[in-house]
Amino acid sequence: MQTQYLDERTVIDELPTTNAWLNRFKTWLEFLKQNCSQVEHILICIHRADTFCEIQVEGKKWHYHKLKTSLFYEYSTYIRKTYFLAAEKLIRDYNASNRATLQFFITTTDNQSLLELPWIYLGAFLANS
């Protein structure tokens, strides 16, 4: 835990441990595997990015720009390797046996760029379907 990112909205005792987070993530992946086998895209977001990273830096780096065609691939890869590293084995195992493409996001209501990225991704995908 990086306490420099926490503010009065955060109750430290309510934050999950790494093991608890991994167990919950594994449960969600099992649910998706059992109940969403025909889905092509799944978006996974960690909300409250303001509690674990420099949201202004991340928001500036990843704000949506319509001319950058590889934004979502680069962003999802970066988020996965930076913020989902503890779950990498679970993600690899899921990807090896499932059709769906997992896309990774971090969100916070404190940074519009980060909050809007999953919605822009969805909008672009739906517009091209």
Side-chain angles (χ1 to χ4, degrees), residues 62 65-77:
W62 297 108
H65 191 282
K66 65 182 176 181
L67 298 178
K68 188 167 184 176
T69 57
S70 62
L71 170 72
F72 291 114
Y73 174 78
E74 290 174 21
Y75 174 78
S76 184
T77 301

Side-chain angles (χ1 to χ4, degrees), residues 48-93:
R48 290 292 316 270
D50 51 285
T51 64
F52 59 84
C53 72
E54 292 287 344
I55 59 172
Q56 299 311 323
V57 172
E58 296 289 22
K60 185 176 181 181
K61 180 177 182 179
W62 297 108
H63 74 278
Y64 176 73
H65 191 282
K66 65 182 176 181
L67 298 178
K68 188 167 184 176
T69 57
S70 62
L71 170 72
F72 291 114
Y73 174 78
E74 290 174 21
Y75 174 78
S76 184
T77 301
Y78 169 79
I79 296 302
R80 177 179 168 179
K81 291 180 184 272
T82 304
Y83 300 109
F84 286 84
L85 192 58
E88 184 60 29
K89 181 176 179 347
L90 294 172
I91 295 166
R92 274 197 319 261
D93 291 348

